[in-house]
Amino acid sequence: MGSDQLIQAGLDALLADVDSPSVPLLAGLARREEPDAPELFDQVVDELGLFFEPPADPTAAKWALAHWPAEQITAGSLRTRHPPSREGPAEQRAAHGGS
């Protein structure tokens, strides 16, 4: 992931009211400061407790990667971009102009 994407992630986190001392620092990096982005991003991850170490076994790692965000969302420490809908597929299609 490029430094510009890490800075954008910081901006997105700032706009989403993510509470971490390093988020505003990451979001505010200027182009000449891009080399600092990976270290600040790591700080944000540490401050938010989002570090994830996948298992060495590839199959176990795939399952762990699927479970980790689900556990974070359930615990309330990771928010989804769109809240889940209670509507069924037909109602969702109708709401979006589909048939």
Side-chain angles (χ1 to χ4, degrees):
M1 183 177 275
S3 292
D4 59 327
Q5 293 172 313
L6 297 176
I7 294 168
Q8 183 60 52
L11 287 167
D12 292 344
L14 195 61
L15 292 173
D17 295 324
V18 173
D19 187 26
S20 162
S22 298
V23 167
L25 300 174
L26 177 61
L29 289 178
R31 183 163 302 278
R32 72 182 195 293
E33 298 171 310
E34 281 187 0
D36 298 334
E39 184 178 336
L40 273 172
F41 183 82
D42 288 344
Q43 272 183 250
V44 169
V45 169
D46 286 344
E47 290 167 2
L48 296 174
L50 296 176
F51 181 74
F52 174 75
E53 182 71 38
D57 175 60
T59 302
K62 287 178 187 177
W63 281 107
L65 285 170
H67 286 272
W68 183 83
E71 289 170 359
Q72 298 298 311
I73 291 168
T74 303
S77 61
L78 184 65
R79 294 188 308 206
T80 60
R81 185 171 287 223
H82 303 286
S85 172
R86 292 183 183 247
E87 298 174 337
E91 292 87 359
Q92 290 174 357
R93 282 193 303 275
H96 297 289
S99 49

